[in-house]
Amino acid sequence: MINCTISAILCAMKNGKKKPFVLRVLKGFFILLCTVFVAISCWIAFSAFDRISPLRAVPRDYSLFIHTDSVWDAVSPVLDLKAVDVLLAEPSFSDYRSGFIQLRSSGLRNNKYAKFAASRRVDAALYTSGDTTGYVAVVDMSFLSAVTRLADILGPHLKIDGLTYTAGSSLPHYEYRTAESTLFFKQERNLLIIANSIDMLMRSAAENNETEYTQDEKKNLTAKNSETFRIVADAGKLAQSVVQGNETASEIASYLTKGAHSVISFAISDSDINIKADFPVTLPADGKSPLVSLLSKNSRMPALLTKLGDPIQYYTIVNAGSLPELKDAVFPFVENNKNVVDSWNKAESLCKTLFSLSLEDILFSWTGTEYAVLGIEGNSDPVFALQIQDEQQREKIFDSIISSFAVENRTNLIIGGVRVPCLALPPFLQDVLASFNIELPHPYYLIQNGYIYFSESPQNLSSIYNAYKSGRMLARKENWKTVSDNQNSAFTIGMYYDLQRSVPFFLENGTIVSKILKLYNIGRCDFRIKNNVLTCQLHATVCPDDGTRLIPGFPLPSGTVQDYNLQSGPVKNSGAVFWVENGKTVKALEFVSMKQSETMLPDSCTIASASEETSGGGVLWAVTSNGAAYLLNRQLECLDGFPVVTGALPSAKSAAYKNGLLIPSRDGSVIFVRSDGTYGVLPVAEGAVFKSAPAVLGETAAIYSKSFKGSIYLIKKDACVNAGEPMKIDGIGFGRPALAENGHTLYTAFITQAGLFYLFSDGKTVSGFPVQIDDVFYTNVVYCNNFFFALSQDALLYRIGFDGSFISIKIPDAVSARQGFVAAVSSDGHDDVYVCADGNILHGFSPALEVLRGFPVAGCSIPVFADINGDRNDDCLVLSADKRLYAWNLK
């Protein structure tokens, strides 16, 4: 049949007959497809070639300009930076934290189509005026603008929550609103313009801003470079943000050329940060400012840099000018400080009386132009170094002051093969030094290679002498070499620092910039001047340590916490932590937004995390001292049907069990409150005394009745299954039993205060138990990875096997553990043991009793592990005795 049809079609074609209908439809459809394909191709080609410069939409009066050739290549590495966590911890950026954390953990980061779409050029600018901040981002959509060019046509028909389209003759645009912010969008040929205000959008889209730029500026802003970002900043505004709080540095910043823009070379990773910025300087023509003489000199290499030995752990070298020049430059800024002026004038008067020399003669007549503060490894006392310009004059000055009764010179100390004299300075000279935060009441001194070194520690001077003598130089140390890559040896002020020993001035002011730089603990920062251009260059790196870091934004104040009970929500829903302040106030901290919420209950209360089986959105149970049970959601709102008034008086903390909560009662019963708002009473034993929370494993719970002849009761299927034949404990104990499942057998373990360790199998005593451990225990055992763990009063951590064998280790630096705890907690898919003795130190151990990486940390609560910053690794949260909540990144 098919062959006949084909033959008929071919015959008809030969004879010139009309083509069959099916063939004509197929041909027409093919032509239509080709037409549509050609039209779309032409439209895409037109969109790719019909383009305007992104600078057209960027007004020139920006404070900060950022250019990248690919948003994806620039932003993707930044998402994982710890520096971004610092930024988002600031209150002014908290509104963006939620979206950022979601993006960081989003699966789109591994999507090749998302990567292709986001590989677009972006030019963004920040504008500041007084308290007003605006920004604009311009995305060059290239050929993808074939889609965005249809925005004004599709606008009236789009139905997206929060998105509205305003059709107007002057500026049609989109507006997207969320609870935290509002963004304005507009397409302009190949550009997609995004702004944070309608005024900013009008400035960007309604004018041709490109005409404001010179050709050199256009080239400077958009030129390709090796870094993913090109940053150009208003020199004056940027400098003021860095030197905020330092009066002298702020005065220098005021000389930066007004309106000048500086190109900033910037590269950052979690291990390194490199920043270099050039700032044009305009000095006053009258030359009256005392800083002019310092800023007009080109920098040169300080000779001291080649003489520093490898014991140097940090330095600050000033190579700006002579002491008289520095005094003239600095004193105008300290004239309001009465202590400095009075100390100087008093010393000036007494020096003339006692030494027949002025204070300026004593300090200025022999010193050169290099001065330094040095830190020596293993010693907290700093070393002060001064260049000697005239050694004969120095000897003359020293002889004059030593010959008087006011200054005592001791020269009999020899240490490390070198004689180090000591000067006992009179109080008035000590006051002058103290006014500049220098404490040198009895300085030892060493003269070597044209420099004099002062320190309160003679060992420091011996280290300097012997390091140079043996050729062990700072320039060969790996840390110094690492941060000195691409640094110029000529500088006016140079700082090499280790944050464990010294903090440079630009890290002391608490700005966002300083908080980010503090993430990198070893650094070198130089300031140099050449041809009226001030260059600032910083290279900092992270020196390897134990990997423990506070999450940015922590610690947070936690108020007065009585029981140090920190709880998370159900495992699959753990996006917050909860605690109780002042006995009655339940607090919650959301990880994504870092926002806190609270609710106050009428009586003192305890809390417990809800189980995963809990329905209705409940994540936290709270029970008051009068037996009212609350089921709260993550916002601490009480669910419908709650609170439940049980009429019971709780005798111990509660525990989540299946879809409800077990509440030990003073009358010897256990109350079971369900998540649907109902409850039942589970009779256990008349006269039972429950002083600890039930232990729960799956659908089984165990609760200890405290007595010198104690009992452990098992609860299954909402009933006590061994009320008539409980597990007997000979001797009093503290805390709750431990439940474990091994080989489909349920084990119950308990240890008494006197060290009797009991093990029960399905409610029956295991042969060979109890086992005596010769120690005293105020906490009970926990189960972790086939072993039981117990903490003794002498701060020994015991590991006990199912066969009764045990070993122990001493908790480092702990004396006792009468008030401590031991707990087994899951983190990143495995269980470990956490211990706190009598103190505020939390220790972590693996089941093999090996110290966990990053521990110990400050804290005295059972830790909660959760991914706070979206890096897919669990972080450690813990309450501390100093009334703060800490969050530690242990990776």
Side-chain angles (χ1 to χ4, degrees), residues 855-875:
F855 283 89
V857 297
C860 57
S861 73
I862 295 175
V864 168
F865 290 91
D867 182 7
I868 298 174
N869 52 13
D871 63 357
R872 302 180 185 177
N873 292 313
D874 281 348
D875 306 302

Side-chain angles (χ1 to χ4, degrees), residues 82-103:
K82 295 181 177 68
V84 178
D85 293 329
V86 173
L87 188 68
L88 295 176
E90 291 294 310
S92 55
F93 290 91
S94 61
D95 290 343
Y96 306 102
R97 178 181 172 85
S98 175
F100 183 89
I101 295 299
Q102 292 175 12
L103 179 60

Side-chain angles (χ1 to χ4, degrees), residues 190-269:
N190 59 302
L191 305 180
L192 178 62
I193 305 170
I194 308 168
N196 69 324
S197 69
I198 188 63
D199 292 337
M200 197 74 248
L201 187 69
M202 292 189 68
R203 286 189 61 197
S204 300
E207 305 174 14
N208 182 6
N209 297 285
E210 188 178 14
T211 58
E212 300 177 7
Y213 295 92
T214 65
Q215 289 299 321
D216 287 342
E217 286 176 324
K218 294 177 186 178
K219 182 178 179 181
N220 192 32
L221 291 175
T222 60
K224 291 184 179 294
N225 62 350
S226 57
E227 282 90 19
T228 52
F229 289 105
R230 171 171 287 268
I231 303 175
V232 180
D234 181 290
K237 294 179 180 178
L238 177 66
Q240 288 293 348
S241 71
V242 175
V243 302
Q244 178 181 331
N246 187 292
E247 191 174 359
T248 305
S250 296
E251 177 72 12
I252 295 174
S254 68
Y255 294 133
L256 301 182
T257 304
K258 298 294 185 292
H261 290 100
S262 301
V263 177
I264 302 174
S265 175
F266 178 82
I268 185 171
S269 69

Side-chain angles (χ1 to χ4, degrees), residues 607-656:
I607 58 174
S609 296
S611 68
E612 294 179 23
E613 300 174 47
T614 305
S615 59
V619 299
L620 186 74
W621 291 100
V623 180
T624 68
S625 57
N626 289 316
Y630 294 75
L631 182 55
L632 309 173
N633 62 18
R634 191 179 292 177
Q635 291 73 42
L636 298 183
E637 299 165 337
C638 197
L639 268 59
D640 291 341
F642 289 88
V644 173
V645 179
T646 66
L649 294 177
S651 60
K653 291 181 179 179
S654 307

Side-chain angles (χ1 to χ4, degrees), residues 76-86 104 109 267-274 516-522 540-545 549 552 869 871 873 889 891:
S76 186
V78 172
L79 290 176
D80 297 317
L81 286 178
K82 295 181 177 68
V84 178
D85 293 329
V86 173
R104 172 184 276 175
R109 296 183 62 186
I268 185 171
S269 69
D270 274 339
S271 58
D272 287 274
I273 183 170
N274 284 279
I516 290 174
L517 292 180
K518 283 183 179 180
L519 294 173
Y520 306 87
N521 54 339
I522 303 290
T541 187
V542 176
C543 186
D545 54 18
R549 287 178 179 273
N869 52 13
D871 63 357
N873 292 313
N889 187 326
K891 301 298 181 182

Side-chain angles (χ1 to χ4, degrees), residues 114-314:
K115 177 180 180 180
F116 173 76
S119 297
R120 307 293 112 205
R121 165 183 169 174
V122 171
D123 296 89
L126 179 72
Y127 302 84
T128 56
S129 177
D131 296 331
T132 304
T133 300
Y135 62 82
V136 61
V138 183
V139 185
D140 187 348
M141 298 299 294
S142 185
F143 70 91
L144 292 181
S145 66
V147 177
T148 56
R149 289 171 192 257
L150 304 176
D152 292 335
I153 299 173
L154 300 175
H157 309 290
L158 292 177
K159 304 297 180 184
I160 301 175
D161 290 343
L163 184 68
T164 58
Y165 176 74
T166 302
S169 57
S170 60
L171 193 71
H173 66 276
Y174 287 85
E175 185 176 326
Y176 182 69
R177 290 185 178 272
T178 66
E180 294 85 12
S181 61
T182 303
L183 294 176
F184 299 85
F185 301 81
K186 176 172 175 54
Q187 72 82 26
E188 187 72 25
R189 292 165 71 175
N190 59 302
L191 305 180
L192 178 62
I193 305 170
I194 308 168
N196 69 324
S197 69
I198 188 63
D199 292 337
M200 197 74 248
L201 187 69
M202 292 189 68
R203 286 189 61 197
S204 300
E207 305 174 14
N208 182 6
N209 297 285
E210 188 178 14
T211 58
E212 300 177 7
Y213 295 92
T214 65
Q215 289 299 321
D216 287 342
E217 286 176 324
K218 294 177 186 178
K219 182 178 179 181
N220 192 32
L221 291 175
T222 60
K224 291 184 179 294
N225 62 350
S226 57
E227 282 90 19
T228 52
F229 289 105
R230 171 171 287 268
I231 303 175
V232 180
D234 181 290
K237 294 179 180 178
L238 177 66
Q240 288 293 348
S241 71
V242 175
V243 302
Q244 178 181 331
N246 187 292
E247 191 174 359
T248 305
S250 296
E251 177 72 12
I252 295 174
S254 68
Y255 294 133
L256 301 182
T257 304
K258 298 294 185 292
H261 290 100
S262 301
V263 177
I264 302 174
S265 175
F266 178 82
I268 185 171
S269 69
D270 274 339
S271 58
D272 287 274
I273 183 170
N274 284 279
I275 303 174
K276 182 180 179 182
D278 296 325
F279 301 105
V281 176
T282 301
L283 299 174
D286 56 17
K288 291 183 179 180
S289 171
L291 292 174
V292 170
S293 63
L294 302 181
L295 296 175
S296 60
K297 297 177 181 179
N298 286 346
S299 300
R300 56 182 179 79
M301 186 190 80
L304 180 62
L305 193 62
T306 64
K307 297 177 171 62
L308 296 178
D310 65 359
I312 302 297
Q313 198 167 26
Y314 69 88

